[in-house]
Amino acid sequence: MNDTIAPYMGPSIIDVSTIRPKLVDLANGKLAGAQREKVGFPEVFDELSKAIPQYGETLGIHTSMWQRIVDKTATLDEIRALKKDVLKLAEVLQESEVYYEDAREADISRIGGFVDATALHGDPSVQAAFNKTLEYRSRYAKKAADQRRKNKQARTETDPAPATEAKAPSHA
């Protein structure tokens, strides 16, 4: 292969069945205001693992609270391990989609070129059979030309009229 593309070598099957019961799908907007892990969590986790068993009862903290933190941390570790592969696979799928779309569009453009050349130098009747293809191929070019026309019109409407040059006084 070349240096711009390479075959994907990661997992093609990502099995989340072991954590599926723990996965949640929140309604849109429900993540607003959610607190995220901050820098230093491993040190806090280590501290709590020692301090809660020793001082938890004194503080009125039930041992189940510490266990919930341990369980949630283990769940996060499982999610993050899978998420890394899922995000990479999603990236590869996105890039693959764009790659094949671009290649297909290039093929359509080439076909349009063959139709244009044949219509110009051989049989103009072929153009009718490829009308939608030719229109599709030129869609972006037409849109760009329309935009340039609009931009030019907007500039001429907003540009002040060119100033006339003042004549130098003549000393007669």
Side-chain angles (χ1 to χ4, degrees):
M1 298 225 120
N2 61 37
D3 62 347
T4 58
I5 63 169
Y8 171 64
M9 302 305 288
S12 57
I13 297 174
I14 300 171
D15 184 6
V16 298
S17 60
T18 58
I19 65 164
R20 185 172 181 197
K22 298 174 185 176
L23 297 178
V24 297
D25 185 9
L26 300 177
N28 288 340
K30 292 297 180 185
L31 289 177
Q35 297 180 57
R36 301 300 309 264
E37 183 176 299
K38 294 172 258 329
V39 175
F41 174 76
E43 293 80 8
V44 170
F45 187 84
D46 184 54
E47 179 180 79
L48 290 173
S49 72
K50 296 169 186 158
I52 295 292
Q54 186 173 358
Y55 298 105
E57 190 174 325
T58 303
L59 296 170
I61 299 172
H62 194 274
T63 55
S64 65
M65 182 175 283
W66 168 243
Q67 189 57 50
R68 288 195 310 265
I69 292 172
V70 169
D71 294 345
K72 287 175 181 132
T73 302
T75 298
L76 286 166
D77 290 344
E78 291 174 300
I79 289 169
R80 289 173 179 157
L82 290 167
K83 182 180 169 187
K84 174 182 56 96
D85 289 335
V86 169
L87 291 175
K88 182 59 180 178
L89 184 55
E91 173 192 327
V92 167
L93 289 170
Q94 174 68 24
E95 290 169 355
S96 297
E97 177 185 18
V98 170
Y99 175 80
Y100 287 106
E101 243 178 18
D102 179 63
R104 182 187 67 192
E105 295 298 307
D107 289 342
I108 290 170
S109 184
R110 282 196 244 6
I111 290 169
F114 289 127
V115 172
D116 289 344
T118 302
L120 184 63
H121 301 293
D123 182 1
S125 68
V126 298
Q127 202 166 13
F130 293 91
N131 235 2
K132 290 190 186 321
T133 302
L134 295 173
E135 186 271 323
Y136 176 84
R137 177 193 61 166
S138 63
R139 198 167 287 155
Y140 287 136
K142 286 179 183 176
K143 185 176 180 181
D146 289 345
Q147 188 61 49
R148 284 191 300 274
R149 196 176 308 103
K150 286 179 188 175
N151 290 346
K152 185 177 180 180
Q153 183 179 358
R155 278 193 305 272
T156 58
E157 291 173 0
T158 59
D159 287 348
T164 56
E165 290 184 32
K167 290 186 177 181
S170 63
H171 297 284

Coordinates of all heavy atoms in Angstrom, one line a residue, residues 41-54 61 66 69:
F41 N -7.3 11.5 40.4 CA -8.2 10.5 40.9 C -7.5 9.2 41.5 O -7.8 8.7 42.6 CB -9.2 10.0 39.9 CG -10.1 8.9 40.4 CD1 -11.1 9.1 41.3 CD2 -9.8 7.6 40.0 CE1 -11.8 8.0 41.8 CE2 -10.5 6.5 40.5 CZ -11.5 6.7 41.4
P42 N -6.4 8.7 40.8 CA -5.8 7.5 41.4 C -5.2 7.7 42.8 O -5.3 6.8 43.6 CB -4.6 7.3 40.4 CG -5.1 7.9 39.1 CD -5.9 9.1 39.5
E43 N -4.7 8.9 43.1 CA -4.2 9.2 44.4 C -5.4 9.2 45.4 O -5.3 8.8 46.6 CB -3.5 10.5 44.5 CG -2.2 10.5 43.7 CD -2.3 10.7 42.2 OE1 -3.4 11.0 41.7 OE2 -1.3 10.6 41.5
V44 N -6.5 9.8 45.0 CA -7.7 9.9 45.9 C -8.2 8.5 46.1 O -8.5 8.1 47.3 CB -8.8 10.8 45.3 CG1 -10.1 10.6 46.0 CG2 -8.3 12.2 45.2
F45 N -8.3 7.6 45.1 CA -8.7 6.3 45.2 C -7.9 5.5 46.2 O -8.4 4.8 47.1 CB -8.7 5.6 43.9 CG -9.4 4.2 43.9 CD1 -10.8 4.1 43.8 CD2 -8.6 3.1 44.0 CE1 -11.3 2.8 43.8 CE2 -9.2 1.8 44.0 CZ -10.6 1.7 43.9
D46 N -6.5 5.7 46.1 CA -5.6 5.0 47.0 C -5.8 5.5 48.4 O -5.8 4.7 49.4 CB -4.2 5.3 46.5 CG -3.1 4.6 47.4 OD1 -3.3 3.3 47.5 OD2 -2.2 5.2 47.9
E47 N -6.0 6.8 48.6 CA -6.2 7.4 49.9 C -7.5 6.8 50.6 O -7.5 6.4 51.7 CB -6.2 8.9 49.9 CG -6.5 9.6 51.2 CD -6.5 11.1 51.1 OE1 -7.6 11.6 50.6 OE2 -5.5 11.7 51.4
L48 N -8.6 6.8 49.8 CA -9.8 6.3 50.3 C -9.8 4.9 50.7 O -10.4 4.4 51.6 CB -11.0 6.6 49.3 CG -11.4 8.0 49.1 CD1 -12.4 8.1 47.9 CD2 -11.9 8.7 50.3
S49 N -9.0 4.1 49.9 CA -8.9 2.6 50.2 C -8.3 2.4 51.5 O -8.6 1.3 52.1 CB -8.1 1.9 49.1 OG -6.7 2.3 49.2
K50 N -7.5 3.3 52.0 CA -6.9 3.2 53.3 C -7.7 3.9 54.4 O -7.8 3.4 55.5 CB -5.4 3.7 53.3 CG -4.5 3.0 52.3 CD -3.2 3.7 52.1 CE -2.4 2.9 51.0 NZ -1.5 3.8 50.4
A51 N -8.2 5.1 54.1 CA -8.8 5.9 55.1 C -10.2 5.4 55.5 O -10.6 5.5 56.6 CB -8.8 7.4 54.7
I52 N -11.0 5.0 54.5 CA -12.4 4.6 54.8 C -12.4 3.4 55.8 O -13.2 3.4 56.7 CB -13.2 4.3 53.5 CG1 -13.3 5.6 52.6 CG2 -14.5 3.7 53.8 CD1 -14.2 6.6 53.2
P53 N -11.6 2.3 55.5 CA -11.7 1.2 56.5 C -11.3 1.7 57.9 O -11.8 1.2 58.9 CB -10.7 0.2 56.0 CG -10.6 0.5 54.5 CD -10.8 2.0 54.4
Q54 N -10.4 2.6 58.0 CA -9.9 3.1 59.3 C -10.8 4.1 60.0 O -11.1 4.0 61.1 CB -8.5 3.7 59.2 CG -7.9 4.0 60.5 CD -6.4 4.4 60.4 OE1 -5.9 4.4 59.3 NE2 -5.8 4.8 61.5
I61 N -19.7 6.9 57.6 CA -19.7 6.4 56.3 C -19.9 4.9 56.3 O -19.0 4.2 56.8 CB -18.4 6.8 55.5 CG1 -18.3 8.3 55.4 CG2 -18.4 6.2 54.1 CD1 -17.0 8.8 54.8
W66 N -18.0 3.0 50.1 CA -16.7 2.7 49.5 C -16.8 1.6 48.5 O -16.3 1.7 47.4 CB -15.7 2.3 50.6 CG -14.5 1.7 50.0 CD1 -14.0 0.5 50.2 CD2 -13.5 2.4 49.2 NE1 -12.8 0.3 49.5 CE2 -12.5 1.5 48.9 CE3 -13.5 3.6 48.6 CZ2 -11.4 1.7 48.0 CZ3 -12.4 3.9 47.8 CH2 -11.4 3.0 47.5
I69 N -18.0 2.9 45.2 CA -16.9 3.6 44.5 C -16.0 2.6 43.8 O -15.6 2.7 42.6 CB -16.1 4.5 45.4 CG1 -16.9 5.7 45.9 CG2 -14.8 5.0 44.8 CD1 -16.3 6.6 47.0

